[in-house]
Amino acid sequence: ENSALYQDDGYNECDIEKNGELEILQNEIIDNNVIFDAGANVGDWSRLVLQYHPTTKLHLFEPLPSCYQILSKDKKLTSSKINNIAISP
């Protein structure tokens, strides 16, 4: 099973301190960056980006109408561009 291959590297780990996302938020993203959140779901990650970097320009992509509605009503995301579409390569 492949899960053993990723046991200690944070793969599939929801804790941002363990999976490397906190390090990226703190060290790789800078203010005024343009960030695409593909598969934004209900915006948890995007809100976290804005918490650390409030001037970041966010473009959220979420194809599910129910999640899109939640994103559209989120007052913390009013400066973000929210798209009710999926993106793929």
Side-chain angles (χ1 to χ4, degrees):
E1 183 172 310
N2 287 340
S3 63
L5 295 173
Y6 304 109
Q7 186 173 0
D8 295 322
D9 68 356
Y11 181 81
N12 234 3
E13 171 66 60
C14 293
D15 184 337
I16 67 169
E17 291 182 12
K18 294 180 182 175
N19 68 13
E21 287 185 59
L22 182 60
E23 184 176 340
I24 290 170
L25 285 170
Q26 293 174 330
N27 301 317
E28 301 298 326
I29 297 173
I30 58 173
D31 290 336
N32 297 311
N33 270 165
V34 175
I35 304 283
F36 284 19
D37 187 351
N41 195 270
V42 294
D44 293 340
W45 191 81
S46 291
R47 283 191 303 280
L48 196 56
V49 169
L50 291 173
Q51 178 182 326
Y52 282 89
H53 305 283
T55 60
T56 297
K57 312 297 187 258
L58 285 171
H59 295 263
L60 290 75
F61 297 86
E62 178 51 55
L64 293 176
S66 58
C67 292
Y68 173 76
Q69 290 301 319
I70 291 169
L71 291 169
S72 297
K73 294 175 183 174
D74 190 326
K75 296 186 185 319
K76 293 182 180 178
L77 298 174
T78 55
S79 64
S80 303
K81 174 67 176 152
I82 302 170
N83 304 278
N84 188 205
I85 59 172
I87 59 173
S88 67

